[in-house]
PDB file of all heavy atoms in Angstrom:
ATOM      1  N   ASP A 166     -21.617 -24.827  20.785  1.00 97.00           N
ATOM      2  CA  ASP A 166     -20.478 -25.562  21.233  1.00 97.00           C
ATOM      3  C   ASP A 166     -19.987 -25.191  22.583  1.00 97.00           C
ATOM      4  O   ASP A 166     -19.236 -25.983  23.269  1.00 97.00           O
ATOM      5  CB  ASP A 166     -19.361 -25.781  20.258  1.00 97.00           C
ATOM      6  CG  ASP A 166     -18.685 -24.449  19.917  1.00 97.00           C
ATOM      7  OD1 ASP A 166     -18.937 -23.459  20.567  1.00 97.00           O
ATOM      8  OD2 ASP A 166     -17.929 -24.446  19.027  1.00 97.00           O
ATOM      9  N   ASP A 167     -20.505 -24.143  23.202  1.00 98.00           N
ATOM     10  CA  ASP A 167     -20.181 -23.769  24.660  1.00 98.00           C
ATOM     11  C   ASP A 167     -21.097 -24.230  25.643  1.00 98.00           C
ATOM     12  O   ASP A 167     -21.031 -24.037  26.791  1.00 98.00           O
ATOM     13  CB  ASP A 167     -19.772 -22.374  24.824  1.00 98.00           C
ATOM     14  CG  ASP A 167     -21.032 -21.509  24.478  1.00 98.00           C
ATOM     15  OD1 ASP A 167     -22.029 -21.992  24.026  1.00 98.00           O
ATOM     16  OD2 ASP A 167     -20.815 -20.199  24.383  1.00 98.00           O
ATOM     17  N   VAL A 168     -22.204 -24.871  25.128  1.00 98.00           N
ATOM     18  CA  VAL A 168     -23.424 -25.406  26.023  1.00 98.00           C
ATOM     19  C   VAL A 168     -22.989 -26.717  26.655  1.00 98.00           C
ATOM     20  O   VAL A 168     -22.532 -27.673  25.986  1.00 98.00           O
ATOM     21  CB  VAL A 168     -24.613 -25.421  25.409  1.00 98.00           C
ATOM     22  CG1 VAL A 168     -25.733 -26.008  26.245  1.00 98.00           C
ATOM     23  CG2 VAL A 168     -25.106 -24.009  24.854  1.00 98.00           C
ATOM     24  N   MET A 169     -23.000 -26.755  28.018  1.00 98.00           N
ATOM     25  CA  MET A 169     -22.524 -27.978  28.817  1.00 98.00           C
ATOM     26  C   MET A 169     -23.697 -28.612  29.606  1.00 98.00           C
ATOM     27  O   MET A 169     -24.487 -27.848  30.201  1.00 98.00           O
ATOM     28  CB  MET A 169     -21.411 -27.621  29.696  1.00 98.00           C
ATOM     29  CG  MET A 169     -20.189 -27.063  29.047  1.00 98.00           C
ATOM     30  SD  MET A 169     -19.245 -28.272  28.245  1.00 98.00           S
ATOM     31  CE  MET A 169     -18.520 -29.235  29.613  1.00 98.00           C
ATOM     32  N   LEU A 170     -23.617 -29.849  29.796  1.00 99.00           N
ATOM     33  CA  LEU A 170     -24.208 -30.545  30.838  1.00 99.00           C
ATOM     34  C   LEU A 170     -23.165 -30.725  31.894  1.00 99.00           C
ATOM     35  O   LEU A 170     -22.416 -31.647  31.676  1.00 99.00           O
ATOM     36  CB  LEU A 170     -24.919 -31.857  30.499  1.00 99.00           C
ATOM     37  CG  LEU A 170     -26.368 -31.658  29.605  1.00 99.00           C
ATOM     38  CD1 LEU A 170     -26.010 -31.379  28.204  1.00 99.00           C
ATOM     39  CD2 LEU A 170     -27.095 -32.904  29.860  1.00 99.00           C
ATOM     40  N   ALA A 171     -23.143 -29.868  32.902  1.00 99.00           N
ATOM     41  CA  ALA A 171     -21.999 -29.794  33.803  1.00 99.00           C
ATOM     42  C   ALA A 171     -22.140 -30.638  35.034  1.00 99.00           C
ATOM     43  O   ALA A 171     -23.179 -30.526  35.684  1.00 99.00           O
ATOM     44  CB  ALA A 171     -21.655 -28.386  34.129  1.00 99.00           C
ATOM     45  N   HIS A 172     -21.162 -31.599  35.327  1.00 98.00           N
ATOM     46  CA  HIS A 172     -21.209 -32.239  36.618  1.00 98.00           C
ATOM     47  C   HIS A 172     -20.059 -31.768  37.496  1.00 98.00           C
ATOM     48  O   HIS A 172     -20.139 -32.208  38.675  1.00 98.00           O
ATOM     49  CB  HIS A 172     -21.175 -33.729  36.379  1.00 98.00           C
ATOM     50  CG  HIS A 172     -19.983 -34.216  35.638  1.00 98.00           C
ATOM     51  ND1 HIS A 172     -18.756 -33.963  35.951  1.00 98.00           N
ATOM     52  CD2 HIS A 172     -19.942 -34.852  34.370  1.00 98.00           C
ATOM     53  CE1 HIS A 172     -17.926 -34.544  34.961  1.00 98.00           C
ATOM     54  NE2 HIS A 172     -18.694 -35.082  33.963  1.00 98.00           N
ATOM     55  N   SER A 173     -19.199 -31.009  37.036  1.00 98.00           N
ATOM     56  CA  SER A 173     -18.010 -30.378  37.756  1.00 98.00           C
ATOM     57  C   SER A 173     -17.803 -29.042  37.498  1.00 98.00           C
ATOM     58  O   SER A 173     -18.072 -28.524  36.431  1.00 98.00           O
ATOM     59  CB  SER A 173     -16.791 -31.289  37.544  1.00 98.00           C
ATOM     60  OG  SER A 173     -17.030 -32.580  37.759  1.00 98.00           O
ATOM     61  N   TRP A 174     -17.361 -28.369  38.539  1.00 98.00           N
ATOM     62  CA  TRP A 174     -17.035 -26.920  38.527  1.00 98.00           C
ATOM     63  C   TRP A 174     -15.618 -26.811  39.156  1.00 98.00           C
ATOM     64  O   TRP A 174     -15.506 -27.196  40.281  1.00 98.00           O
ATOM     65  CB  TRP A 174     -18.084 -26.101  39.181  1.00 98.00           C
ATOM     66  CG  TRP A 174     -17.814 -24.666  39.301  1.00 98.00           C
ATOM     67  CD1 TRP A 174     -18.090 -23.715  38.279  1.00 98.00           C
ATOM     68  CD2 TRP A 174     -17.276 -23.830  40.281  1.00 98.00           C
ATOM     69  NE1 TRP A 174     -17.647 -22.454  38.537  1.00 98.00           N
ATOM     70  CE2 TRP A 174     -17.246 -22.575  39.874  1.00 98.00           C
ATOM     71  CE3 TRP A 174     -16.785 -24.351  41.539  1.00 98.00           C
ATOM     72  CZ2 TRP A 174     -16.697 -21.607  40.712  1.00 98.00           C
ATOM     73  CZ3 TRP A 174     -16.143 -23.244  42.326  1.00 98.00           C
ATOM     74  CH2 TRP A 174     -16.155 -21.904  41.921  1.00 98.00           C
ATOM     75  N   ASP A 175     -14.729 -26.128  38.482  1.00 98.00           N
ATOM     76  CA  ASP A 175     -13.393 -25.849  39.122  1.00 98.00           C
ATOM     77  C   ASP A 175     -12.766 -27.165  39.528  1.00 98.00           C
ATOM     78  O   ASP A 175     -12.091 -27.215  40.550  1.00 98.00           O
ATOM     79  CB  ASP A 175     -13.605 -24.874  40.171  1.00 98.00           C
ATOM     80  CG  ASP A 175     -12.292 -23.993  40.244  1.00 98.00           C
ATOM     81  OD1 ASP A 175     -11.460 -23.979  39.397  1.00 98.00           O
ATOM     82  OD2 ASP A 175     -12.041 -23.292  41.276  1.00 98.00           O
ATOM     83  N   GLY A 176     -12.938 -28.280  38.722  1.00 98.00           N
ATOM     84  CA  GLY A 176     -12.276 -29.369  39.117  1.00 98.00           C
ATOM     85  C   GLY A 176     -12.863 -30.357  40.139  1.00 98.00           C
ATOM     86  O   GLY A 176     -12.402 -31.409  40.441  1.00 98.00           O
ATOM     87  N   ALA A 177     -14.044 -29.978  40.671  1.00 98.00           N
ATOM     88  CA  ALA A 177     -14.705 -30.808  41.798  1.00 98.00           C
ATOM     89  C   ALA A 177     -16.104 -30.987  41.383  1.00 98.00           C
ATOM     90  O   ALA A 177     -16.696 -30.142  40.641  1.00 98.00           O
ATOM     91  CB  ALA A 177     -14.508 -30.071  43.052  1.00 98.00           C
ATOM     92  N   ALA A 178     -16.710 -32.006  42.115  1.00 98.00           N
ATOM     93  CA  ALA A 178     -18.089 -32.331  41.704  1.00 98.00           C
ATOM     94  C   ALA A 178     -18.956 -31.073  42.034  1.00 98.00           C
ATOM     95  O   ALA A 178     -18.754 -30.334  43.066  1.00 98.00           O
ATOM     96  CB  ALA A 178     -18.578 -33.342  42.721  1.00 98.00           C
ATOM     97  N   LEU A 179     -19.859 -30.701  41.078  1.00 98.00           N
ATOM     98  CA  LEU A 179     -20.764 -29.582  41.323  1.00 98.00           C
ATOM     99  C   LEU A 179     -21.631 -29.723  42.575  1.00 98.00           C
ATOM    100  O   LEU A 179     -22.272 -30.606  42.829  1.00 98.00           O
ATOM    101  CB  LEU A 179     -21.659 -29.457  40.052  1.00 98.00           C
ATOM    102  CG  LEU A 179     -22.593 -28.241  39.996  1.00 98.00           C
ATOM    103  CD1 LEU A 179     -21.786 -26.879  39.879  1.00 98.00           C
ATOM    104  CD2 LEU A 179     -23.513 -28.353  38.723  1.00 98.00           C
ATOM    105  N   ASP A 180     -21.478 -28.669  43.398  1.00 98.00           N
ATOM    106  CA  ASP A 180     -22.266 -28.598  44.655  1.00 98.00           C
ATOM    107  C   ASP A 180     -23.719 -28.649  44.443  1.00 98.00           C
ATOM    108  O   ASP A 180     -24.270 -27.983  43.475  1.00 98.00           O
ATOM    109  CB  ASP A 180     -21.879 -27.269  45.319  1.00 98.00           C
ATOM    110  CG  ASP A 180     -22.251 -27.200  46.661  1.00 98.00           C
ATOM    111  OD1 ASP A 180     -23.523 -27.036  47.056  1.00 98.00           O
ATOM    112  OD2 ASP A 180     -21.382 -27.359  47.569  1.00 98.00           O
ATOM    113  N   ARG A 181     -24.365 -29.330  45.243  1.00 98.00           N
ATOM    114  CA  ARG A 181     -25.828 -29.556  45.199  1.00 98.00           C
ATOM    115  C   ARG A 181     -26.578 -28.122  45.069  1.00 98.00           C
ATOM    116  O   ARG A 181     -27.434 -27.995  44.384  1.00 98.00           O
ATOM    117  CB  ARG A 181     -26.291 -30.354  46.399  1.00 98.00           C
ATOM    118  CG  ARG A 181     -27.795 -30.239  46.588  1.00 98.00           C
ATOM    119  CD  ARG A 181     -28.106 -31.085  47.801  1.00 98.00           C
ATOM    120  NE  ARG A 181     -29.353 -30.804  48.452  1.00 98.00           N
ATOM    121  CZ  ARG A 181     -29.832 -31.284  49.606  1.00 98.00           C
ATOM    122  NH1 ARG A 181     -29.004 -32.158  50.312  1.00 98.00           N
ATOM    123  NH2 ARG A 181     -31.110 -31.054  50.096  1.00 98.00           N
ATOM    124  N   ARG A 182     -26.111 -27.202  45.929  1.00 98.00           N
ATOM    125  CA  ARG A 182     -26.713 -25.854  45.844  1.00 98.00           C
ATOM    126  C   ARG A 182     -26.707 -25.122  44.451  1.00 98.00           C
ATOM    127  O   ARG A 182     -27.476 -24.392  44.090  1.00 98.00           O
ATOM    128  CB  ARG A 182     -26.114 -24.933  46.881  1.00 98.00           C
ATOM    129  CG  ARG A 182     -26.374 -25.327  48.337  1.00 98.00           C
ATOM    130  CD  ARG A 182     -25.449 -24.357  49.202  1.00 98.00           C
ATOM    131  NE  ARG A 182     -24.042 -24.492  48.749  1.00 98.00           N
ATOM    132  CZ  ARG A 182     -23.191 -23.359  48.887  1.00 98.00           C
ATOM    133  NH1 ARG A 182     -23.602 -22.277  49.254  1.00 98.00           N
ATOM    134  NH2 ARG A 182     -22.001 -23.487  48.415  1.00 98.00           N
ATOM    135  N   HIS A 183     -25.700 -25.532  43.752  1.00 98.00           N
ATOM    136  CA  HIS A 183     -25.441 -25.061  42.361  1.00 98.00           C
ATOM    137  C   HIS A 183     -26.006 -25.909  41.317  1.00 98.00           C
ATOM    138  O   HIS A 183     -25.795 -25.700  40.059  1.00 98.00           O
ATOM    139  CB  HIS A 183     -24.062 -24.591  42.035  1.00 98.00           C
ATOM    140  CG  HIS A 183     -23.644 -23.456  42.851  1.00 98.00           C
ATOM    141  ND1 HIS A 183     -24.167 -22.176  42.657  1.00 98.00           N
ATOM    142  CD2 HIS A 183     -22.747 -23.346  43.814  1.00 98.00           C
ATOM    143  CE1 HIS A 183     -23.488 -21.308  43.515  1.00 98.00           C
ATOM    144  NE2 HIS A 183     -22.572 -21.822  44.122  1.00 98.00           N
ATOM    145  N   GLY A 184     -26.721 -27.042  41.685  1.00 98.00           N
ATOM    146  CA  GLY A 184     -27.483 -27.787  40.652  1.00 98.00           C
ATOM    147  C   GLY A 184     -26.827 -29.239  40.510  1.00 98.00           C
ATOM    148  O   GLY A 184     -27.427 -30.023  39.619  1.00 98.00           O
ATOM    149  N   GLY A 185     -25.868 -29.640  41.289  1.00 98.00           N
ATOM    150  CA  GLY A 185     -25.246 -30.986  41.243  1.00 98.00           C
ATOM    151  C   GLY A 185     -26.411 -31.993  41.666  1.00 98.00           C
ATOM    152  O   GLY A 185     -27.184 -31.696  42.351  1.00 98.00           O
ATOM    153  N   PRO A 186     -26.353 -33.171  41.016  1.00 98.00           N
ATOM    154  CA  PRO A 186     -25.215 -33.620  40.348  1.00 98.00           C
ATOM    155  C   PRO A 186     -24.981 -33.176  38.737  1.00 98.00           C
ATOM    156  O   PRO A 186     -23.873 -33.285  38.341  1.00 98.00           O
ATOM    157  CB  PRO A 186     -25.359 -35.244  40.249  1.00 98.00           C
ATOM    158  CG  PRO A 186     -26.938 -35.350  40.422  1.00 98.00           C
ATOM    159  CD  PRO A 186     -27.346 -34.089  41.243  1.00 98.00           C
ATOM    160  N   LEU A 187     -26.016 -32.595  38.204  1.00 99.00           N
ATOM    161  CA  LEU A 187     -25.876 -32.286  36.863  1.00 99.00           C
ATOM    162  C   LEU A 187     -26.780 -30.992  36.480  1.00 99.00           C
ATOM    163  O   LEU A 187     -27.974 -31.019  36.928  1.00 99.00           O
ATOM    164  CB  LEU A 187     -26.291 -33.359  35.878  1.00 99.00           C
ATOM    165  CG  LEU A 187     -26.028 -33.119  34.458  1.00 99.00           C
ATOM    166  CD1 LEU A 187     -24.402 -33.318  34.123  1.00 99.00           C
ATOM    167  CD2 LEU A 187     -26.772 -34.030  33.562  1.00 99.00           C
ATOM    168  N   ARG A 188     -26.181 -30.007  35.967  1.00 99.00           N
ATOM    169  CA  ARG A 188     -26.876 -28.794  35.596  1.00 99.00           C
ATOM    170  C   ARG A 188     -26.606 -28.408  34.072  1.00 99.00           C
ATOM    171  O   ARG A 188     -25.569 -28.948  33.637  1.00 99.00           O
ATOM    172  CB  ARG A 188     -26.608 -27.591  36.515  1.00 99.00           C
ATOM    173  CG  ARG A 188     -25.358 -26.934  36.117  1.00 99.00           C
ATOM    174  CD  ARG A 188     -25.122 -25.662  36.790  1.00 99.00           C
ATOM    175  NE  ARG A 188     -26.060 -24.675  36.563  1.00 99.00           N
ATOM    176  CZ  ARG A 188     -26.438 -23.651  37.363  1.00 99.00           C
ATOM    177  NH1 ARG A 188     -25.722 -23.502  38.513  1.00 99.00           N
ATOM    178  NH2 ARG A 188     -27.279 -22.786  37.025  1.00 99.00           N
ATOM    179  N   VAL A 189     -27.536 -27.661  33.509  1.00 99.00           N
ATOM    180  CA  VAL A 189     -27.202 -27.179  32.158  1.00 99.00           C
ATOM    181  C   VAL A 189     -26.441 -25.771  32.313  1.00 99.00           C
ATOM    182  O   VAL A 189     -26.648 -25.207  33.398  1.00 99.00           O
ATOM    183  CB  VAL A 189     -28.486 -27.016  31.370  1.00 99.00           C
ATOM    184  CG1 VAL A 189     -28.182 -26.374  30.129  1.00 99.00           C
ATOM    185  CG2 VAL A 189     -29.231 -28.333  31.213  1.00 99.00           C
ATOM    186  N   VAL A 190     -25.564 -25.590  31.447  1.00 99.00           N
ATOM    187  CA  VAL A 190     -24.909 -24.173  31.378  1.00 99.00           C
ATOM    188  C   VAL A 190     -25.010 -23.687  29.961  1.00 99.00           C
ATOM    189  O   VAL A 190     -24.414 -24.297  28.985  1.00 99.00           O
ATOM    190  CB  VAL A 190     -23.445 -24.324  31.837  1.00 99.00           C
ATOM    191  CG1 VAL A 190     -22.759 -23.048  31.708  1.00 99.00           C
ATOM    192  CG2 VAL A 190     -23.275 -24.978  33.223  1.00 99.00           C
ATOM    193  N   ILE A 191     -25.632 -22.584  29.757  1.00 99.00           N
ATOM    194  CA  ILE A 191     -25.802 -21.933  28.558  1.00 99.00           C
ATOM    195  C   ILE A 191     -25.178 -20.508  28.548  1.00 99.00           C
ATOM    196  O   ILE A 191     -25.923 -19.511  28.949  1.00 99.00           O
ATOM    197  CB  ILE A 191     -27.181 -21.876  27.986  1.00 99.00           C
ATOM    198  CG1 ILE A 191     -27.941 -23.246  28.082  1.00 99.00           C
ATOM    199  CG2 ILE A 191     -27.302 -21.283  26.639  1.00 99.00           C
ATOM    200  CD1 ILE A 191     -29.403 -23.352  27.849  1.00 99.00           C
ATOM    201  N   PRO A 192     -23.911 -20.387  28.382  1.00 98.00           N
ATOM    202  CA  PRO A 192     -23.200 -19.168  28.709  1.00 98.00           C
ATOM    203  C   PRO A 192     -23.793 -17.931  27.936  1.00 98.00           C
ATOM    204  O   PRO A 192     -23.585 -16.727  28.413  1.00 98.00           O
ATOM    205  CB  PRO A 192     -21.702 -19.415  28.192  1.00 98.00           C
ATOM    206  CG  PRO A 192     -21.647 -20.811  28.201  1.00 98.00           C
ATOM    207  CD  PRO A 192     -22.850 -21.424  27.852  1.00 98.00           C
ATOM    208  N   LYS A 193     -24.146 -18.052  26.759  1.00 98.00           N
ATOM    209  CA  LYS A 193     -24.650 -16.917  25.892  1.00 98.00           C
ATOM    210  C   LYS A 193     -26.073 -16.376  26.321  1.00 98.00           C
ATOM    211  O   LYS A 193     -26.464 -15.418  25.628  1.00 98.00           O
ATOM    212  CB  LYS A 193     -24.586 -17.158  24.477  1.00 98.00           C
ATOM    213  CG  LYS A 193     -23.140 -17.338  24.043  1.00 98.00           C
ATOM    214  CD  LYS A 193     -23.067 -17.234  22.397  1.00 98.00           C
ATOM    215  CE  LYS A 193     -21.716 -17.624  21.917  1.00 98.00           C
ATOM    216  NZ  LYS A 193     -21.448 -19.146  21.972  1.00 98.00           N
ATOM    217  N   LEU A 194     -26.758 -17.082  27.299  1.00 98.00           N
ATOM    218  CA  LEU A 194     -28.094 -16.560  27.692  1.00 98.00           C
ATOM    219  C   LEU A 194     -28.023 -16.258  29.173  1.00 98.00           C
ATOM    220  O   LEU A 194     -27.063 -16.800  29.866  1.00 98.00           O
ATOM    221  CB  LEU A 194     -29.162 -17.582  27.375  1.00 98.00           C
ATOM    222  CG  LEU A 194     -29.391 -17.908  25.847  1.00 98.00           C
ATOM    223  CD1 LEU A 194     -30.393 -19.005  25.728  1.00 98.00           C
ATOM    224  CD2 LEU A 194     -29.721 -16.647  25.130  1.00 98.00           C
ATOM    225  N   TYR A 195     -28.925 -15.473  29.736  1.00 98.00           N
ATOM    226  CA  TYR A 195     -28.923 -15.193  31.162  1.00 98.00           C
ATOM    227  C   TYR A 195     -29.081 -16.582  31.900  1.00 98.00           C
ATOM    228  O   TYR A 195     -29.609 -17.457  31.329  1.00 98.00           O
ATOM    229  CB  TYR A 195     -30.166 -14.380  31.509  1.00 98.00           C
ATOM    230  CG  TYR A 195     -30.024 -12.786  31.155  1.00 98.00           C
ATOM    231  CD1 TYR A 195     -31.004 -12.225  30.324  1.00 98.00           C
ATOM    232  CD2 TYR A 195     -29.037 -12.094  31.778  1.00 98.00           C
ATOM    233  CE1 TYR A 195     -30.699 -10.757  29.999  1.00 98.00           C
ATOM    234  CE2 TYR A 195     -28.778 -10.779  31.440  1.00 98.00           C
ATOM    235  CZ  TYR A 195     -29.685 -10.079  30.681  1.00 98.00           C
ATOM    236  OH  TYR A 195     -29.577  -8.796  30.337  1.00 98.00           O
ATOM    237  N   PHE A 196     -28.540 -16.485  33.102  1.00 98.00           N
ATOM    238  CA  PHE A 196     -28.275 -17.939  33.795  1.00 98.00           C
ATOM    239  C   PHE A 196     -29.678 -18.451  34.138  1.00 98.00           C
ATOM    240  O   PHE A 196     -29.553 -19.628  34.667  1.00 98.00           O
ATOM    241  CB  PHE A 196     -27.437 -17.487  35.116  1.00 98.00           C
ATOM    242  CG  PHE A 196     -26.650 -18.579  35.532  1.00 98.00           C
ATOM    243  CD1 PHE A 196     -26.091 -19.549  34.643  1.00 98.00           C
ATOM    244  CD2 PHE A 196     -26.340 -18.717  36.880  1.00 98.00           C
ATOM    245  CE1 PHE A 196     -25.217 -20.621  35.098  1.00 98.00           C
ATOM    246  CE2 PHE A 196     -25.510 -19.716  37.291  1.00 98.00           C
ATOM    247  CZ  PHE A 196     -24.937 -20.647  36.441  1.00 98.00           C
ATOM    248  N   TRP A 197     -30.744 -17.859  34.181  1.00 98.00           N
ATOM    249  CA  TRP A 197     -31.916 -18.507  34.515  1.00 98.00           C
ATOM    250  C   TRP A 197     -32.257 -19.513  33.537  1.00 98.00           C
ATOM    251  O   TRP A 197     -33.024 -20.517  33.758  1.00 98.00           O
ATOM    252  CB  TRP A 197     -33.259 -17.668  34.664  1.00 98.00           C
ATOM    253  CG  TRP A 197     -33.940 -17.215  33.386  1.00 98.00           C
ATOM    254  CD1 TRP A 197     -34.886 -18.051  32.720  1.00 98.00           C
ATOM    255  CD2 TRP A 197     -34.054 -15.964  32.625  1.00 98.00           C
ATOM    256  NE1 TRP A 197     -35.441 -17.412  31.570  1.00 98.00           N
ATOM    257  CE2 TRP A 197     -34.893 -16.161  31.504  1.00 98.00           C
ATOM    258  CE3 TRP A 197     -33.302 -14.809  32.786  1.00 98.00           C
ATOM    259  CZ2 TRP A 197     -35.146 -15.089  30.609  1.00 98.00           C
ATOM    260  CZ3 TRP A 197     -33.602 -13.798  31.895  1.00 98.00           C
ATOM    261  CH2 TRP A 197     -34.522 -13.955  30.844  1.00 98.00           C
ATOM    262  N   LYS A 198     -31.702 -19.498  32.347  1.00 98.00           N
ATOM    263  CA  LYS A 198     -31.794 -20.676  31.336  1.00 98.00           C
ATOM    264  C   LYS A 198     -30.946 -21.874  31.651  1.00 98.00           C
ATOM    265  O   LYS A 198     -31.167 -22.840  30.966  1.00 98.00           O
ATOM    266  CB  LYS A 198     -31.433 -20.150  29.910  1.00 98.00           C
ATOM    267  CG  LYS A 198     -32.243 -18.900  29.350  1.00 98.00           C
ATOM    268  CD  LYS A 198     -33.674 -19.411  28.921  1.00 98.00           C
ATOM    269  CE  LYS A 198     -34.224 -18.270  28.173  1.00 98.00           C
ATOM    270  NZ  LYS A 198     -35.740 -18.691  27.791  1.00 98.00           N
ATOM    271  N   SER A 199     -30.005 -21.662  32.569  1.00 99.00           N
ATOM    272  CA  SER A 199     -29.222 -22.909  32.875  1.00 99.00           C
ATOM    273  C   SER A 199     -29.754 -23.599  33.979  1.00 99.00           C
ATOM    274  O   SER A 199     -29.522 -23.449  35.073  1.00 99.00           O
ATOM    275  CB  SER A 199     -27.683 -22.278  33.222  1.00 99.00           C
ATOM    276  OG  SER A 199     -27.120 -21.673  32.197  1.00 99.00           O
ATOM    277  N   ALA A 200     -30.573 -24.653  33.555  1.00 99.00           N
ATOM    278  CA  ALA A 200     -31.347 -25.323  34.626  1.00 99.00           C
ATOM    279  C   ALA A 200     -30.417 -26.225  35.452  1.00 99.00           C
ATOM    280  O   ALA A 200     -29.584 -27.054  35.071  1.00 99.00           O
ATOM    281  CB  ALA A 200     -32.269 -26.340  33.821  1.00 99.00           C
ATOM    282  N   LYS A 201     -30.595 -25.970  36.819  1.00 98.00           N
ATOM    283  CA  LYS A 201     -29.918 -26.825  37.777  1.00 98.00           C
ATOM    284  C   LYS A 201     -30.783 -28.234  38.027  1.00 98.00           C
ATOM    285  O   LYS A 201     -31.944 -28.317  37.569  1.00 98.00           O
ATOM    286  CB  LYS A 201     -29.859 -26.158  39.157  1.00 98.00           C
ATOM    287  CG  LYS A 201     -29.477 -24.647  39.148  1.00 98.00           C
ATOM    288  CD  LYS A 201     -28.836 -24.194  40.347  1.00 98.00           C
ATOM    289  CE  LYS A 201     -29.882 -23.592  41.342  1.00 98.00           C
ATOM    290  NZ  LYS A 201     -29.213 -22.901  42.554  1.00 98.00           N
TER     291      LYS A 201
END
Side-chain angles (χ1 to χ4, degrees):
D166 61 9
D167 58 1
V168 176
M169 298 283 291
L170 283 83
H172 53 64
S173 301
W174 178 84
D175 210 13
L179 182 62
D180 194 282
R181 166 178 162 191
R182 291 172 309 143
H183 288 298
L187 189 74
R188 79 173 300 159
V189 175
V190 177
I191 307 178
K193 292 195 188 79
L194 298 177
Y195 282 122
F196 209 34
W197 88 74
K198 297 286 188 181
S199 293
K201 311 204 274 191

